[in-house]
């Protein structure tokens, strides 16, 4: 693990946001006349850009999908972002990486303002050199654009960086930017989804990832 610059996805990689995100999506769909009682049906919204997922899963046109995003935010900014939990072992991993002299970053499709609030809520913000997400107006929501923005802003050599994420969008975004990738198998992407993207590394647990960075087997 030669990388000096480690980029992390947020949802499904640093924290488990299942309850908050699915309830916020449920709230948004209800406002558009769609009732979904089983929250597990909405886990596909965790990770990818929301507007694209509303369009893909419910066939919303561009305007309706954006209205759904705004409805989602009504719930999320007041309640949903706090219905979240830090993955066990993540804080230890972050501390280890910093002790090794590496620089850490967050690259998420979530709006930057929400990502910063969540990291501060969990006391994780101090670990990261930069937190980069999308804009509230929906721009810079593609993971490739977000990763590239971190690389450009912090003047990072792509050969010295790796992207860690739990969905195909993270791995494809890394590939598009010429960056190695680590699939976080404990998140919300299936093993099949992640394997199809041919990540540089695949770790099923946070503990396995910790072992890889420390040179210890688990």
């Amino acid at each position: 693990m030669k990388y000096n610059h480690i980029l992390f996805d947020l949802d499904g990689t640093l924290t488990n946001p299942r309850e908050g995100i699915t309830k916020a999506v449920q709230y948004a769909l209800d406002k558009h006349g769609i009732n979904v009682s089983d929250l597990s049906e909405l886990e596909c919204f965790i990770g990818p850009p929301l507007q694209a997922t509303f369009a893909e899963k419910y066939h919303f046109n561009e305007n309706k999908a954006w209205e759904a995003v705004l409805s989602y935010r009504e719930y999320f900014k007041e309640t949903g972002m706090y219905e979240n939990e830090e993955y066990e072992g993540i804080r230890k991993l972050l501390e280890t990486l910093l002790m090794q002299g590496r620089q850490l970053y967050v690259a998420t499709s979530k709006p930057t303002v929400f990502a910063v609030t969540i990291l501060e809520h969990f006391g994780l913000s101090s670990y990261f050199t930069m937190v980069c997400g999308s804009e509230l107006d929906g721009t810079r929501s593609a993971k490739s654009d977000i990763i590239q923005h971190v690389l450009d802003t912090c003047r990072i050599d792509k050969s010295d960086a790796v992207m860690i994420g739990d969905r195909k969008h993270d791995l494809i975004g890394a590939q598009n930017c010429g960056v190695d990738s680590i699939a976080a198998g404990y998140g919300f992407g299936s093993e099949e989804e992640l394997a199809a993207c041919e990540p540089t590394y695949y770790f099923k647990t946070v503990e396995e990832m910790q072992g890889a960075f420390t040179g210890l087997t688990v």
Side-chain angles (χ1 to χ4, degrees):
M1 289 296 178
K2 56 184 174 53
Y3 315 100
N4 287 310
H5 301 277
I6 318 295
L7 284 66
F8 285 88
D9 176 44
L10 176 55
D11 294 334
T13 302
L14 292 173
T15 67
N16 182 347
R18 179 189 182 278
E19 181 180 2
I21 289 180
T22 56
K23 284 184 175 179
V25 173
Q26 182 186 52
Y27 171 88
L29 290 172
D30 186 65
K31 292 195 71 171
H32 287 81
I34 300 172
N35 179 261
V36 179
S37 58
D38 184 358
L39 293 177
S40 66
E41 293 183 18
L42 305 178
E43 289 183 2
C44 59
F45 282 86
I46 303 173
L50 289 171
Q51 189 173 359
T53 310
F54 278 117
E56 180 181 337
K57 186 169 177 64
Y58 291 98
H59 309 293
F60 286 4
N61 63 31
E62 185 176 351
N63 288 338
K64 189 173 182 180
W66 181 243
E67 289 171 3
V69 170
L70 296 180
S71 298
Y72 167 97
R73 289 178 182 170
E74 291 175 9
Y75 181 93
F76 190 78
K77 67 182 180 181
E78 296 296 331
T79 305
M81 75 168 72
Y82 305 110
E83 294 174 321
N84 199 341
E85 59 183 0
E86 176 185 328
Y87 279 114
E88 184 177 355
I90 278 294
R91 192 177 299 266
K92 178 182 177 182
L93 174 61
L94 298 177
E95 290 173 352
T96 297
L97 295 174
L98 287 182
M99 287 178 62
Q100 292 173 338
R102 307 178 200 256
Q103 298 290 311
L104 311 182
Y105 312 82
V106 172
T108 175
S109 294
K110 185 181 296 302
T112 303
V113 62
F114 292 158
V116 169
T117 300
I118 290 167
L119 292 167
E120 289 177 346
H121 174 71
F122 283 105
L124 295 174
S125 57
S126 63
Y127 292 104
F128 298 101
T129 298
M130 179 182 182
V131 177
C132 181
S134 61
E135 301 293 347
L136 284 171
D137 64 3
T139 57
R140 201 176 65 209
S141 61
K143 188 54 69 86
S144 302
D145 294 341
I146 293 164
I147 294 171
Q148 192 62 53
H149 187 67
V150 174
L151 297 176
D152 292 344
T153 302
C154 299
R155 299 183 179 181
I156 299 170
D157 186 331
K158 62 185 179 183
S159 67
D160 199 21
V162 65
M163 175 72 205
I164 302 175
D166 70 307
R167 297 300 307 272
K168 64 181 181 181
H169 308 80
D170 303 305
L171 308 181
I172 293 170
Q175 291 169 0
N176 290 342
C177 295
V179 171
D180 284 353
S181 61
I182 295 175
Y186 54 85
F188 290 90
S190 68
E191 186 171 353
E192 292 75 18
E193 173 186 327
L194 298 174
C197 297
E198 299 183 342
T200 313
Y201 301 95
Y202 173 89
F203 300 119
K204 194 168 184 177
T205 66
V206 178
E207 187 180 16
E208 285 184 10
M209 199 180 302
Q210 171 83 18
F213 277 107
T214 57
L216 301 175
T217 56
V218 294

